[in-house]
Amino acid sequence: MRRLRANPTLRRMVRETHVTVDDLIAPLFVQTGAGVREPIASMPGQFRFSIEQAVLEARELHELGLPAVILFGIPDSKDATGTGAYDADGPVPQAIRALKSALPEMCVIADVCACEYTSHGHCGILHEHSVDNDQTLELLQRASVCYAQAGADIVAPSDMMDGRVAAIRQALDAAQYSEVPIMSYAAKFAGAFYGPFRDAAGSTPSFGDRRSYQMDAANRREALREMELDIEEGADVLMVKPALFCLDILREARDRFDLPMCAYNVSSEYSMIKAAGQLGWIDEARLIDETLLSIKRAGADLIITYHAKEWAQLNR
Ligand code: PBG
């Protein structure tokens, strides 16, 4: 086997997997205000941007060849029923309009969920102490149509309610947005993986946890059933999340389904590399490379990653 590993040229010729900027989607946290570029403490190198700063950042990403961003909103105020999720003047619709007018070629993806907009931090509307599935579907429909109206190229529901892909598809079609694809967070596991993100978005649940809607990390077959259902309901792209902790799920999904497969290299996966890098314990640039390569090799076509900009800069 070593004959083909003898020098860099040979290794380059037989390399099976390549990461390119085309594969990467950069997350952006957006809020209202002006001139805001506020560092996120638990995610070094990530910021909360006001709209015009988000446009400046996206322009840099675009110049680096990155094709897409996914937006998360930090609203000025929250309420029990998450009405801010479908406020046409909220930070996400504003950012979509600004980004599409400044950078029409950039693909703007809108994450669709209630957790950033509810006072209790859960991903839907509560009925007593649990999230009401079908009432939440209505919220997701309104949010999806609101983002499509603002010009989003793709909507990406991350709430894990049952039936949300079908509900969103139906609402988009009824509002004449039949051309807007749905990228479904199909297999999204509950756990400690999203801690830094929740700091960034202020979306930690005020009581309980997300285990009654996000998946149990022990379940592989259930993840495949989630994906099968989302395909039946009309999903255009499937997502597995978190990426590194679920490479087995990603591989199995890739072998079983023919839809484009996205993996979310989540906040804790990012922050662990950043922390160890700051301590000088790891070779950060190489670890980023190897992280993205392993996700691609496991079967991802697309990777949502906070490393997108840095990777693009390092591999220009
Ligand atoms: C919204 C949402 C979350 C993430 C993406 N969309 C938070 C959560 O489910 O708690 C997490 C992303 C990350 O950790 O990077 N529901």
Side-chain angles (χ1 to χ4, degrees), residues 134-174:
D134 293 2
Q135 238 187 306
T136 302
L137 294 184
E138 270 176 55
L139 178 150
L140 299 170
Q141 289 178 311
R142 294 176 78 164
S144 299
V145 170
C146 171
Y147 304 152
Q149 228 150 30
D153 296 292
I154 298 179
V155 294
S158 65
D159 51 280
M160 290 302 279
M161 295 305 115
D162 287 334
R164 87 295 176 78
V165 172
I168 291 171
R169 183 72 273 155
Q170 183 247 320
L172 288 174
D173 291 355

Side-chain angles (χ1 to χ4, degrees), residues 113 115 158 188 194 197-198 210 214 241 264 267 306:
C113 193
C115 64
S158 65
K188 173 170 175 176
Y194 315 134
F197 173 98
R198 290 178 195 170
R210 303 210 201 290
Q214 297 182 354
K241 177 182 173 197
Y264 199 137
S267 56
Y306 303 98

Side-chain angles (χ1 to χ4, degrees), residues 15-85:
R15 189 161 294 141
E16 298 174 33
T17 309
H18 301 269
V19 175
T20 81
V21 281
D22 297 343
D23 308 323
L24 306 182
I25 299 169
L28 288 182
F29 296 96
V30 294
Q31 61 169 74
T32 56
V36 183
R37 191 187 170 91
E38 189 191 341
I40 297 165
S42 55
M43 301 177 73
Q46 301 299 310
F47 303 85
R48 298 191 192 90
F49 296 108
S50 52
I51 310 300
E52 90 295 350
Q53 294 292 315
V55 172
L56 292 179
E57 180 71 9
R59 197 180 291 285
E60 280 184 49
L61 300 174
H62 182 67
E63 278 160 13
L64 286 163
L66 290 159
V69 294
I70 181 163
L71 300 181
F72 299 97
I74 297 152
D76 292 338
S77 65
K78 308 185 186 221
D79 60 26
T81 52
T83 57

